[in-house]
Amino acid sequence: MKKFPENHLEPEIYIAKDGKGFKRWLLVVVLFFATFVFTFPFEKTLLGFVEKVITSQRACPISYEKIELSYFMPGINFKNPTISGNCFQKPGNDLALDKLAVTFAGPNFSPFGVRFKALAETEQSHIEAYPAVGFSGRVVRITDTKIGADILSTLTGMDLIVGELDIDGLVELAGNQVSSAKLKIESKSLKTSMTNIAGFLLPPMNLGSLLVLSELDASGKLFIEKLTLGSANSTLAANFKGDLTLNRYNMLYSNADLTGEVRFSDEFFEAIPIVKLLLQGKQPTDGFYKLELKGPLGQTRPNFL
């Protein structure tokens, strides 16, 4: 048996037994992070950051009564949110939401990064989008979205459309601008309510189905691959394709370059007899009149071919 000086401890004393040393260090690290988490003002810091981002969006402000953090499903909830009419080029025509929330939705693989879920609801509409932030870019996937008459009337400024629009799409962002987008808009039972347009009383119309397939490029040009409206028994039926050069500040000044065909029912001709004057004696082919739409949306007149 080895002998050691009185002031020298045996070497075994410096060796941790059964992993006890590692466990002690792990416990210290866990306690440190637990103390940091429970003492650092995460909620105040995060909410302050969110409020700063929202107030910086002067072109499209959102008002709310309060922002609350959700820990079970990590995210934020807005209490009594309202989107300013400035977002739709309709100042003073604000849109009140029943719900507005953003939650963490897990990892994203294309682009590789993290994904969030944004949810907005009104009485007649449900908007669901998944923004993803990655190393190679940002995208927003729109799915399970239904736009009802309440949002449509806010966007158009008229209580004209009755029905729902189902929207599915993928938007790619570069900085704060849209670099490209693909959109599909569909409705199974679209109608219009009675309204007055340019002095003519337009009766309620059954438009039937609607399908729009389109792509948007970085310059703001919307390429409409397919636009079909109506059915065999609808008041109005149409097919169009072409493009729209979008005006980001006022949609009515977006420049249209569309060609297509349209069919009018007898009910439509009776309600708006001036349409027959615009036809200038042109005859339909299989019930459809050929036409083109060119110029600003708010000022364009159909040119029947």
Side-chain angles (χ1 to χ4, degrees):
M1 182 176 180
K2 290 184 179 181
K3 293 184 179 181
F4 298 95
E6 293 181 358
N7 63 346
H8 188 90
L9 298 176
E10 293 184 11
E12 288 80 1
I13 199 71
Y14 299 100
I15 301 175
K17 295 182 179 180
D18 301 326
K20 291 182 179 179
F22 172 76
K23 292 179 180 178
R24 291 192 186 100
W25 278 110
L26 182 60
L27 179 61
V28 170
V29 172
V30 170
L31 289 174
F32 171 78
F33 279 105
T35 302
F36 178 76
V37 168
F38 285 107
T39 58
F40 187 81
F42 276 111
E43 182 171 351
K44 182 178 180 180
T45 302
L46 180 58
L47 294 183
F49 174 75
V50 172
E51 290 178 347
K52 183 178 179 180
V53 172
I54 292 175
T55 54
S56 66
Q57 306 300 315
R58 297 183 179 181
C60 183
I62 298 176
S63 61
Y64 51 89
E65 183 179 319
K66 184 180 180 182
I67 300 179
E68 299 175 334
L69 279 183
S70 171
Y71 293 99
F72 177 70
M73 292 290 290
I76 55 176
N77 295 288
F78 295 82
K79 187 175 181 180
N80 297 329
T82 299
I83 300 178
S84 171
N86 293 339
C87 302
F88 322 111
Q89 292 85 47
K90 302 288 184 183
N93 195 14
D94 299 340
L95 177 64
L97 302 177
D98 295 333
K99 183 175 184 178
L100 179 61
V102 180
T103 55
F104 178 69
N108 195 74
F109 299 99
S110 180
F112 184 76
V114 294
R115 185 174 60 152
F116 301 89
K117 177 182 178 180
L119 178 64
E121 291 182 344
T122 65
E123 183 178 353
Q124 299 175 335
S125 303
H126 175 95
I127 301 173
E128 194 169 318
Y130 291 86
V133 181
F135 296 105
S136 59
R138 293 183 295 163
V139 300
V140 179
R141 172 69 174 167
I142 303 170
T143 182
D144 296 327
T145 291
K146 296 183 181 296
I147 303 297
D150 50 2
I151 291 183
L152 290 175
S153 62
T154 300
L155 293 175
T156 61
M158 298 184 295
D159 295 325
L160 178 62
I161 304 297
V162 179
E164 289 182 343
L165 298 180
D166 297 329
I167 300 179
D168 187 84
L170 180 65
V171 181
E172 297 184 4
L173 301 171
N176 293 325
Q177 299 295 326
V178 175
S179 59
S180 66
K182 293 183 178 181
L183 294 173
K184 176 184 178 182
I185 303 173
E186 189 173 12
S187 180
K188 299 297 184 182
S189 57
L190 208 60
K191 299 179 181 180
T192 64
S193 58
M194 182 177 294
T195 187
N196 189 304
I197 298 180
F200 293 95
L201 186 61
L202 192 66
M205 294 190 299
N206 177 23
L207 300 179
S209 61
L210 170 71
L211 176 62
V212 180
L213 301 177
S214 62
E215 292 192 18
L216 180 70
D217 66 11
S219 67
K221 180 168 285 189
L222 182 68
F223 298 92
I224 299 177
E225 300 174 2
K226 185 176 184 179
L227 190 162
T228 62
L229 173 67
S231 59
N233 299 320
S234 61
T235 309
L236 184 71
N239 299 289
F240 283 97
K241 63 180 180 179
D243 59 72
L244 289 172
T245 303
L246 299 181
N247 186 307
R248 300 180 187 274
Y249 302 100
N250 193 325
M251 287 297 295
L252 292 179
Y253 290 110
S254 297
N255 199 58
D257 186 4
L258 301 172
T259 58
E261 58 182 13
V262 61
R263 175 183 57 77
F264 304 105
S265 67
D266 293 337
E267 179 187 5
F268 189 90
F269 279 130
E270 292 175 4
I272 310 181
I274 194 175
V275 173
K276 290 187 176 181
L277 296 178
L278 296 175
L279 290 174
Q280 296 180 344
K282 300 293 192 304
Q283 297 300 313
T285 303
D286 297 328
F288 284 83
Y289 296 89
K290 306 292 183 181
L291 77 160
E292 60 182 11
L293 297 173
K294 295 182 181 292
L297 284 178
Q299 303 173 10
T300 186
R301 293 180 60 184
N303 178 31
F304 290 94
L305 305 175

